[in-house]
């Protein structure tokens, strides 16, 4: 008889309910005490033939034969709830499940799910909580409990349950899609949690905390021209009297990235205190090493780029690689610090990192398919993004590694780097993060492309440049008054009305677009220096027909129009409040260039 019952189960699994029904009726006639046969017969009559009355009678028989039949008890409760709206009697059967089978998470979870179908989330809660307590790796219970909390407006509880569920659970054969639904709910809940959190108060608190460490003011600068979300200028590395954090308020999840930069500041303060502060710098030596290694590839692959422009592309690529080799390991420590020390930030951190993962996956796929960059750089970029993804998986339980389509070598390399990071966490002391940078650089055999120097060396170099900066600052703050600029450029402005000549406007917009792309490779101090140096030339007027050389822009000879474009864009970025004082009639060209720039960068 057991074989027949298994046959009936197999037929049900194949959706061959007519044959299953005949076989089950045969079994119950031959063996009327077979509780499970009655239960299965009731399930077919209810779910397939839509005959709840027959199913009810058959469940009575099933429970007469075996009062503790767990699935008959659950099914009877479900039938009473859904078909007869008899919740009171249904609860009696559900309570029997708890009494007879207190350790069956699946059955108890199913009871909770029945309450949820009726939108009775309060009623569902104790069953979902009980199921999760029994089996803390059962994704269905986490999903159900989190959904109950969410529907009841308990957003923080819902976030915690989603978070734990993402970390602890795995897919199961009986419900392979539930983790995907749990992650979707995780994102939805995180958005609502983040929206109701006042992150301004959070970062102000962190700001006060950090200012008290080294008694140095932190200046907050809103900068819509930033191509990144935020950036930090650490006072000791700029020989400055204050730290500066610049942020772009128009970027997504800028609250997280703003706090991210303050964690970089916090790490810098800790390393400085122990005399272990360092900096990753791009020098003439590292750029030339990069050029020597990849010039042949770049010439062959980018033969359409004029020789005069190719160096800019190469140096920009070199700087980008250096930044990633520095930021990947440092950001691991930064995000770990946020996660560990500032729990309130977790919702926006999760959303921001999840968003970055999508961008990183797309960028890695594009880099692999377009062949624009040397294979070594594409490989290093992919491996470092895998490392970042491993950390995201570890702290938030969302595994996106497969979407990078890593080879065994890429995955193994990333895993080695990530394991090294985790080893450092166990014994971490301030300044160790730069040892991790060295480990990354060495693992990619790129020691000649990146220079790591002591913080004191950077500071000394900046101080040596202070006298020139002081002069330039004086010029920026007063030398170019509106009247002086008008006098210096009066003749030019008279002959070049803003936007009057479409050809000139188009030419200037293209030059400006090039300036924007170039300035993206520099930090704000460099752009400021260039702005002032061009202004010093501009005081006496810039002739469009002449050629010019600018010290801060080596190896470049500029035509007058091109220099005017760099002039306008550098001030728009570095000293926007005095841009109008220049008296340059190129606002229409700038608007056109900015529109092209934003379209190119998907802004």
């Amino acid at each position: 008889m057991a074989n027949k019952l298994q046959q009936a189960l197999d037929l049900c699994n194949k959706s061959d309910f007519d044959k299953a029904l005949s076989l089950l009726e045969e079994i119950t006639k031959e063996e009327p005490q077979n509780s499970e046969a009655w239960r299965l017969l009731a399930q077919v009559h209810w779910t397939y033939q839509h005959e709840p009355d027959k199913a009810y009678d058959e469940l009575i028989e099933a429970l007469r034969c075996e009062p503790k039949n767990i699935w008959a008890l659950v099914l009877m409760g479900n039938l009473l709830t859904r078909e007869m709206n008899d919740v009171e009697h249904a609860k009696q059967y559900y309570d029997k499940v708890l009494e007879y089978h207190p350790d069956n998470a699946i059955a108890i979870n199913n009871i909770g799910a029945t309450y949820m179908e009726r939108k009775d989330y309060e009623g569902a809660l104790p069953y979902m909580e009980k199921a999760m307590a029994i089996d803390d790796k059962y994704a269905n219970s986490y999903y159900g409990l989190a959904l109950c909390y969410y529907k009841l407006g308990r957003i923080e509880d819902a976030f915690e349950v989603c978070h734990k569920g993402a970390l602890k659970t795995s897919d199961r054969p009986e419900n392979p899609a539930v983790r995907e639904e749990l992650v979707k709910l995780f994102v939805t809940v995180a958005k609502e949690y983040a929206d109701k959190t006042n992150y301004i108060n959070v970062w102000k608190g962190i700001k006060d905390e950090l200012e008290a460490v080294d008694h140095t003011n932190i200046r907050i600068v809103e900068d819509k021209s930033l191509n990144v979300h935020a950036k930090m200028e650490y006072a000791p590395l700029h020989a400055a009297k204050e730290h500066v954090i610049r942020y772009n308020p128009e970027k997504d999840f800028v609250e997280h990235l703003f706090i991210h930069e303050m964690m970089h500041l916090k790490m810098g303060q800790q390393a400085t205190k122990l005399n272990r502060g360092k900096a990753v710098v791009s020098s003439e030596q590292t750029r030339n090493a990069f050029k020597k290694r990849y010039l042949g590839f770049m010439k062959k692959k980018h033969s359409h780029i004029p020789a005069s422009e190719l160096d800019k592309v190469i140096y920009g690529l070199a700087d980008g690689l250096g930044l990633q080799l520095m930021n990947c390991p440092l950001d691991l420590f930064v995000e770990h610090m946020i996660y560990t020390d500032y729990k309130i930030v977790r919702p926006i951190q999760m959303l921001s990192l999840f968003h970055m993962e999508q961008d990183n996956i797309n960028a890695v796929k594009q880099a692999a398919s377009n062949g624009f960059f040397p294979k070594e750089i594409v490989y290093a970029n992919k491996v470092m993004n895998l490392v970042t993804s491993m950390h995201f998986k570890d702290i938030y339980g969302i595994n996106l590694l497969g979407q990078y389509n890593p080879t065994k070598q890429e995955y193994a390399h990333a895993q080695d780097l990530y394991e090294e990071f985790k080893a450092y966490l166990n014994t971490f002391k301030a300044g160790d993060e730069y040892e991790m940078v060295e480990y990354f650089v060495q693992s990619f055999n790129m020691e000649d492309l990146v220079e790591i120097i002591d913080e004191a060396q950077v500071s000394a170099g900046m101080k040596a440049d202070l006298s020139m900066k002081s002069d330039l600052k004086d010029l920026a703050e007063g030398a170019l008054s509106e009247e002086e600029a008008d006098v210096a450029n009066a003749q030019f402005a008279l002959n070049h009305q803003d936007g009057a000549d479409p050809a000139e406007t188009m030419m200037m917009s293209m030059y400006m677009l090039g300036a924007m792309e170039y300035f993206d490779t520099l930090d704000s101090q460099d752009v400021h220096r260039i702005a002032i140096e061009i202004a010093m030339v501009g005081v006496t007027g810039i002739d469009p027909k002449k050629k010019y050389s600018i010290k801060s822009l080596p190896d470049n000879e500029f035509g007058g129009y091109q220099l005017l474009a760099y002039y306008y864009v550098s001030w728009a970025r570095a000293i926007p409040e005095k841009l109008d004082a220049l008296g340059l009639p190129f606002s229409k060209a700038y608007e056109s260039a900015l529109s092209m720039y934003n379209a190119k960068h998907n802004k």
Side-chain angles (χ1 to χ4, degrees):
M1 196 61 66
N3 288 339
K4 282 188 176 182
L5 187 59
Q6 184 59 51
Q7 289 174 23
L9 280 169
D10 292 341
L11 288 168
C12 287
N13 289 333
K14 295 175 183 177
S15 299
D16 193 347
F17 296 109
D18 289 330
K19 288 184 180 179
L21 197 61
S22 298
L23 188 56
L24 287 167
E25 289 173 342
E26 181 182 325
I27 294 171
T28 53
K29 286 179 181 178
E30 294 176 4
E31 192 178 344
Q33 299 303 312
N34 192 321
S35 175
E36 189 59 13
W38 283 111
R39 193 275 305 175
L40 194 56
L41 185 61
Q43 190 162 346
V44 173
H45 271 132
W46 182 23
T47 58
Y48 173 61
Q49 291 198 329
H50 310 293
E51 297 181 285
D53 292 336
K54 276 189 180 181
Y56 178 83
D57 292 339
E58 289 156 354
L59 285 172
I60 292 293
E61 285 299 313
L63 292 169
R64 182 186 61 77
C65 299
E66 174 50 70
K68 296 183 180 181
N69 185 327
I70 183 171
W71 298 114
L73 289 167
V74 171
L75 195 62
M76 180 65 94
N78 291 351
L79 187 146
L80 287 169
T81 300
R82 296 172 187 172
E83 296 291 347
M84 304 175 185
N85 200 29
D86 189 352
V87 179
E88 182 178 347
H89 284 96
K91 190 174 185 305
Q92 294 175 10
Y93 287 96
Y94 292 149
D95 287 345
K96 290 295 183 183
V97 174
L98 293 176
E99 178 184 346
Y100 297 145
H101 307 279
D103 297 328
N104 193 310
I106 296 176
I108 295 170
N109 181 83
N110 286 352
I111 296 172
T114 301
Y115 279 89
M116 290 175 67
E117 287 177 10
R118 296 174 54 86
K119 303 188 186 309
D120 182 0
Y121 300 107
E122 287 285 2
L125 268 182
Y127 295 101
M128 291 300 181
E129 289 172 339
K130 174 72 173 175
M132 197 174 78
I134 295 168
D135 184 355
D136 67 355
K137 291 182 173 56
Y138 187 41
N140 296 59
S141 297
Y142 282 99
Y143 175 74
L145 182 58
L147 189 59
C148 283
Y149 284 144
Y150 176 63
K151 293 293 187 180
L152 292 169
R154 295 170 59 177
I155 302 300
E156 293 179 31
D157 291 331
F159 181 82
E160 289 298 321
V161 172
C162 285
H163 190 182
K164 289 179 183 177
L167 288 170
K168 287 190 172 186
T169 65
S170 56
D171 290 330
R172 290 191 179 182
E174 68 269 16
N175 197 347
V178 71
R179 262 189 61 85
E180 182 180 346
E181 293 303 312
L182 180 63
V183 169
K184 289 179 182 177
L185 181 60
F186 196 5
V187 172
T188 298
V189 170
K191 286 178 180 176
E192 290 204 18
Y193 194 173
D195 286 344
K196 78 181 188 72
T197 303
N198 188 342
Y199 285 107
I200 293 178
N201 286 341
V202 174
W203 66 252
K204 281 185 176 178
I206 299 173
K207 177 177 179 288
D208 292 342
E209 169 195 336
L210 299 183
E211 286 180 334
V213 171
D214 56 10
H215 307 291
T216 301
N217 181 57
I218 301 171
R219 183 159 58 95
I220 310 300
V221 179
E222 183 178 297
D223 187 349
K224 294 181 180 180
S225 70
L226 275 182
N227 193 33
V228 294
H229 294 71
K231 63 186 296 186
M232 187 270 294
E233 296 166 8
Y234 185 45
L237 295 182
H238 290 80
K241 294 181 180 180
E242 60 184 1
H243 309 298
V244 178
I245 294 180
R246 303 179 186 277
Y247 73 101
N248 188 336
E250 297 180 345
K251 295 289 186 179
D252 293 326
F253 311 113
V254 70
E255 301 94 336
H256 162 243
L257 271 298
F258 188 80
I259 294 170
H260 175 101
E261 295 305 320
M262 286 202 282
M263 292 303 100
H264 274 291
L265 173 55
K266 187 174 184 177
M267 285 206 308
Q269 290 174 328
Q270 293 171 347
T272 297
K273 186 175 181 180
L274 296 180
N275 293 319
R276 301 192 75 213
K278 293 183 181 293
V280 178
V281 298
S282 177
S283 66
E284 185 178 355
Q285 183 178 353
T286 59
R287 285 183 167 192
N288 287 338
F290 188 95
K291 181 178 178 180
K292 182 178 179 181
R293 189 185 290 198
Y294 298 118
L295 180 60
F297 173 90
M298 297 298 287
K299 279 184 175 180
K300 182 178 179 181
K301 198 68 184 178
H302 301 280
S303 57
H304 61 286
I305 299 177
S308 59
E309 296 292 320
L310 189 59
D311 277 359
K312 291 182 185 178
V313 176
I314 291 173
Y315 292 152
L317 189 57
D319 290 346
L321 176 65
L323 282 172
Q324 189 177 17
L325 285 166
M326 174 185 71
N327 284 331
C328 181
L330 294 188
D331 286 352
L332 292 173
F333 289 106
V334 162
E335 294 300 342
H336 184 80
M337 191 182 297
I338 294 174
Y339 181 82
T340 304
D341 297 345
Y342 302 96
K343 188 176 178 181
I344 188 70
V345 182
R346 286 183 182 178
I348 196 73
Q349 181 188 36
M350 190 279 279
L351 293 170
S352 180
L353 295 180
F354 188 66
H355 181 75
M356 286 184 203
E357 280 282 293
Q358 311 305 316
D359 288 345
N360 291 343
I361 289 165
N362 291 331
V364 164
K365 288 179 179 178
Q366 288 177 7
S369 63
N370 62 32
F372 287 171
F373 307 112
K375 289 182 179 180
E376 290 178 22
I377 295 176
V378 173
Y379 173 84
N381 173 61
K382 185 174 181 178
V383 168
M384 284 188 278
N385 279 311
L386 284 168
V387 174
T388 301
S389 190
M390 288 175 179
H391 187 233
F392 181 58
K393 174 179 175 288
D394 263 12
I395 61 175
Y396 285 111
I398 301 174
N399 186 357
L400 300 174
L401 290 162
Q403 294 188 34
Y404 287 94
N405 298 316
T407 64
K408 287 184 178 180
Q409 179 184 354
E410 290 164 346
Y411 189 88
H413 193 161
Q415 196 166 38
D416 173 74
L417 294 173
Y418 186 60
E419 290 299 325
E420 186 72 9
F421 161 70
K422 290 198 293 184
Y424 266 101
L425 283 181
N426 295 327
T427 60
F428 182 79
K429 61 182 181 295
D432 282 353
E433 61 270 23
Y434 287 99
E435 292 182 8
M436 267 297 296
V437 175
E438 290 174 347
Y439 189 83
F440 269 60
V441 172
Q442 290 167 5
S443 79
F444 294 115
N445 298 314
M446 292 180 173
E447 295 93 326
D448 59 328
L449 307 184
V450 174
E451 186 175 358
I452 303 173
I453 64 176
D454 288 339
E455 182 180 287
Q457 291 177 261
V458 181
S459 183
M462 292 298 294
K463 286 176 181 176
D465 197 34
L466 275 180
S467 59
M468 184 189 80
K469 281 192 174 182
S470 179
D471 292 340
L472 297 180
K473 183 179 179 183
D474 290 341
L475 175 63
E477 292 181 347
L480 264 183
S481 67
E482 187 171 355
E483 292 80 7
E484 289 170 323
D486 283 344
V487 171
N489 296 288
Q491 189 62 45
F492 185 86
L494 284 172
N495 296 329
H496 299 78
Q497 299 298 314
D498 196 352
D501 184 344
E504 180 185 76
T505 301
M506 176 56 72
M507 174 187 66
M508 286 299 296
S509 67
M510 297 307 295
Y511 278 136
M512 286 179 172
L513 179 61
M516 291 173 183
E517 298 285 357
Y518 177 69
F519 291 148
D520 280 347
T521 68
L522 307 179
D523 64 27
S524 59
Q525 294 283 344
D526 289 333
V527 178
H528 189 276
R529 183 187 296 109
I530 291 167
I532 301 305
E533 190 174 345
I534 300 176
M536 294 172 72
V537 177
V539 168
T540 59
I542 297 175
D543 187 342
K545 298 177 182 179
K546 290 185 178 180
K547 298 288 186 181
Y548 295 88
S549 294
I550 301 297
K551 183 179 178 181
S552 298
L553 296 167
D555 304 324
N556 281 303
E557 187 178 59
F558 288 84
Y561 278 112
Q562 187 180 15
L563 186 62
L564 286 165
Y566 273 67
Y567 191 5
Y568 196 100
V569 174
S570 63
W571 278 67
R573 289 201 174 189
I575 318 170
E577 68 277 7
K578 289 186 174 288
L579 180 61
D580 290 342
L582 298 181
L584 294 176
F586 296 123
S587 65
K588 297 290 192 299
Y590 182 74
E591 289 173 6
S592 177
L594 192 59
S595 176
M596 290 187 287
Y597 175 87
N598 288 339
K600 182 177 180 181
H601 294 276
N602 296 319
K603 293 185 178 181

